Amino acid sequence: HVQLVESGGGSVQDGGSLTLSCELKGYTYSSYCLGWWRQVPGKEREAVAVCSSDGTTTSYAGSVQGRFTISKNNDNNTLTLQMNSLKVEDTAMYYCAALGTVCFEPHEFASRMRRMYGDNWYRRFGYWGQGTQVTVS
């Protein structure tokens, strides 16, 4: 049984930093795409940063490139998102995910999944954390 448990969200001022953590309980897959996604009300869930199952290959959305860093600690099976230079537009609910697919580039990941699996695909595909709110003001 796979369970993703997130922590680390909160409120921060513009330009500040936050670290999100996701404990990948029961996760033993070797070919899944791991990643951090975010969603604001009324908008599609979007990929922020993704990495291979072993954490060695990473890719970022253009809007966070150079500010966010995704990493995986294979010793304790934890996925981390270090967020620096936060902006108001980074405000969203953030979710960690383990998806049984290759990692697509973040800018097209959601649209590809929607074309293959329909709207709200994330409700029936993959493992997701409960979400953690990040608010930048």
Side-chain angles (χ1 to χ4, degrees), residues 44-74:
E44 186 174 36
R45 188 168 295 191
E46 64 175 3
V48 174
V50 299
C51 71
S52 53
S53 197
D54 61 1
T56 58
T57 303
T58 61
S59 189
Y60 298 89
S63 59
V64 308
Q65 181 79 47
R67 300 188 297 122
F68 290 13
T69 302
I70 187 172
S71 61
K72 182 170 182 272
N73 185 320
N74 291 311

